[in-house]
Amino acid sequence: MQAYVLGAGKTRFGPSSHPMTRLAHEAILGALSDADMRIDEIGAFVVANFLGGPNESQLHLNSVIAGLFPGMHIPGWRVEAACASGGVAIHQAVTMLGAYDPILVVGVERLSGRPGNELTRNIGMAGDAILDQAQGLNFPATYALVAQRHMQRYGTTTRDFEIVSLKNHANAQLNPLAHFHHKKVAQADIDAGATVASPLRLFDCCPVSDGAAAVIVSAKPRDERSVPIIGSGVGTDVISLAQREDHTSFAAAREAARVAYGQAGITAADIDLVEVHDCFTIAEIVAMEDLGLAEPGSAVELIRAGETGIGGSMPVNPSGGLKAGGHAIGATGVGQVYEATRQLRGEAGKRQVEGAEIAVTHNVGGVGGTCAVQVLGRLS
Ligand code: COA
C-alpha cells in the first residue's frame, strides 16, 4: 500500500460556540498549511460526520464544505459509521488514491448545546434501535455491560479504570488541543464522580466535545515530513450486544487490526504507541487486548505497572485519548491520525513518545459494530 499523510490539522476538542463550518474550515486550513499546499491542489475530499442531521439539521455536508472554498467543484462525499466515521473515512481515502490524489479527509462534529436527553438519544443511534435503545440501553449503559463482563471473567477492577482515567487526564494536560487540557484531575475528583452506569462513573466516560480534524493523503510523499500509512483495515460486526457471543472483546477490532498489521508487515511487538478509542475507560482495556498488545484479560498488568504512560513500554493515548482529549465523534478517528502524524514526526511537544517509529490508531463505532485501524510509520 502506498499512502502518505502530507499534512494534518486539528481544532481544540471541547465545547465551542463555532458552527460546524467554522470548525471544519479551521482544521482544513491547518492541514493545508501543514502540507504547504493550496486547496486547488486537492483532487477529492471526504467528510466524516455522525450527527449533523439530528443535532444540526444539516446533512449533505460535502456541499457545505465545498461552500467554504468558492469555485471548488472537485468530487466530495460524506462518510458515516457512528463514532468510527473518521477512521473509516481515512480508510476510504487511502483505498481510493488510484482514482483521486491527493484526498482531503475532514472529520467534524458539534455535540454541545443540545439538551442532555436529546443528545443521549441521538448518540444512541449508534446502537441497535430495537434490541438496545428500546430497552433503555444508552451508550454508557452498554459499555457498563462490557465492563461488568470483563470484571467477572478476568478480575478487572474499578481501580484499573481509575488508573486509565488518571493517566489520560495527565496526558491531556500536555496537549493544548485536549478537551480537559486545563483541568488537573486527582484521585479526589474521581472519587467524587457520580455513577453514570454501574460500574462506570463520571471519570470513566468521555466528555461531549465539538471539534474538527483534517488530513491530506496522497500516494506519493511530498517532503521529508510526509508520514507513511503502511496499513489500514476496517472490520464490522452485528450491532447489538444481545447478538454477540463475547462482550469482552470486539471481533470488528480484531479483524481491522489483522488486516492493517498484515499490510504493514508488523506484529503488535513492533508498535511504539497507540491512540485507541477509550470512549469509556473499559474500552481502552478491551482495545489493548483486541490490538494484541496484551493477552485477553492481561492488559491490566501493563496498566497497573505504569507501562501505558508516555514513558512506558507501551504508551496508550499520549494525546489524552477520548477520555480527556475529547470525543468530537466524526472528527475523532481523523484526530487520532493527526496525533500519530505529530508523534512520528517528533512534533508532539511535551507528550512526545521518544523515538516512535510505528503508531497505530483504533477508532470504534457503536459498541464494536465498526472498527478502523491504521498503522503509520516513518519515511526511511
Ligand atoms: N469526564 C469528566 N468530567 C466531565 C465529563 C466527563 N466525561 N463530562 C462532564 N464533566 C464535567 C464538566 O466539565 C463539568 O465540570 P465543571 O462543573 O467543573 O464545569 C461537570 O462535569 C458537569 O458537566 P455536564 O456537561 O453537566 O455533565 P453531564 O452530567 O451532563 O454529562 C456525561 C456527563 C458522562 C453523562 C456525559 O459527559 C456523557 O454523556 N458522556 C458520554 C458521551 C458518549 O456516550 N459518547 C459516545 C461514546 S462512543
Side-chain angles (χ1 to χ4, degrees):
M1 196 177 71
Q2 288 281 351
Y4 299 84
V5 177
L6 305 188
K10 183 177 176 290
T11 68
R12 174 182 177 256
F13 281 7
S16 170
S17 57
H18 295 160
M20 280 198 293
T21 43
R22 183 155 168 188
L23 294 168
H25 198 221
E26 183 182 332
I28 293 169
L29 293 182
L32 288 169
S33 160
D34 186 50
D36 194 17
M37 291 179 76
R38 300 181 316 272
I39 192 70
D40 60 11
E41 294 179 78
I42 300 293
F45 66 99
V46 188
V47 190
N49 172 259
F50 176 41
L51 291 176
N55 276 0
E56 300 281 298
S57 301
Q58 185 65 74
L59 289 170
H60 202 181
L61 286 179
N62 57 327
S63 182
V64 170
I65 297 298
L68 295 170
F69 300 95
M72 185 172 88
H73 302 295
I74 57 174
W77 55 91
R78 170 176 174 264
V79 167
E80 189 280 305
C83 303
S85 298
V88 171
I90 289 187
H91 177 77
Q92 196 186 55
V94 162
T95 52
M96 292 198 74
L97 281 173
Y100 307 104
D101 196 341
I103 300 179
L104 165 71
V105 182
V106 55
V108 62
E109 202 78 52
R110 262 199 67 81
L111 297 174
S112 66
R114 311 307 308 173
N117 56 350
E118 186 185 319
L119 191 60
T120 299
R121 187 199 64 207
N122 292 348
I123 291 175
M125 291 180 190
D128 187 289
I130 298 163
L131 293 173
D132 296 352
Q133 288 186 58
Q135 309 304 319
L137 271 180
N138 59 27
F139 250 80
T142 320
Y143 269 96
L145 292 180
V146 173
Q148 287 176 12
R149 192 74 188 105
H150 208 277
M151 292 165 88
Q152 282 169 352
R153 178 175 292 176
Y154 299 119
T156 310
T157 66
T158 54
R159 179 64 196 150
D160 298 318
F161 304 158
E162 291 173 6
I163 299 171
V164 169
S165 184
L166 285 166
K167 183 261 298 172
N168 287 349
H169 274 283
N171 291 353
Q173 287 205 275
L174 307 176
N175 179 2
L177 298 180
H179 186 125
F180 288 119
H181 175 59
H182 294 294
K183 185 165 180 165
K184 187 167 169 52
V185 171
Q187 184 66 41
D189 300 300
I190 291 193
D191 293 343
T195 296
V196 175
S198 181
L200 303 178
R201 296 183 298 161
L202 181 66
F203 280 87
D204 292 311
C205 306
C206 66
V208 167
S209 315
D210 305 321
V215 300
I216 299 165
V217 296
S218 171
K220 292 195 253 3
R222 188 170 172 89
D223 54 34
E224 71 285 351
R225 292 176 72 246
S226 302
V227 171
I229 301 177
I230 55 177
S232 178
V234 168
T236 52
D237 199 359
V238 60
I239 190 165
S240 175
L241 274 189
Q243 296 174 314
R244 304 252 186 93
E245 286 180 12
D246 185 1
H247 293 175
T248 61
S249 171
F250 298 151
R254 298 196 305 273
E255 174 62 11
R258 185 188 68 76
V259 172
Y261 293 4
Q263 287 173 357
I266 64 157
T267 69
D270 297 314
I271 299 170
D272 296 312
L273 73 103
V274 289
E275 282 286 318
V276 305
H277 196 97
D278 60 326
C279 50
F280 299 91
T281 46
I282 178 62
E284 179 161 315
I285 295 169
V286 170
M288 288 177 63
E289 293 168 2
D290 286 343
L291 290 174
L293 306 178
E295 292 296 314
S298 60
V300 294
E301 291 170 20
L302 290 172
I303 290 166
R304 290 170 192 167
E307 299 293 353
T308 57
I310 288 171
S313 61
M314 189 60 256
V316 179
N317 285 330
S319 70
L322 283 61
K323 168 68 211 73
H327 185 21
I329 298 183
T332 288
V334 186
Q336 291 176 327
V337 171
Y338 166 93
E339 177 68 14
T341 299
R342 288 271 177 264
Q343 289 282 352
L344 291 165
R345 288 178 181 162
E347 296 174 350
K350 292 179 180 168
R351 64 185 189 284
Q352 181 67 46
V353 174
E354 290 306 326
E357 296 196 342
I358 301 280
V360 165
T361 61
H362 160 280
N363 184 206
V364 174
V367 191
T370 306
C371 185
V373 169
Q374 260 81 235
V375 184
L376 293 94
R378 269 164 74 154
L379 270 187
S380 46

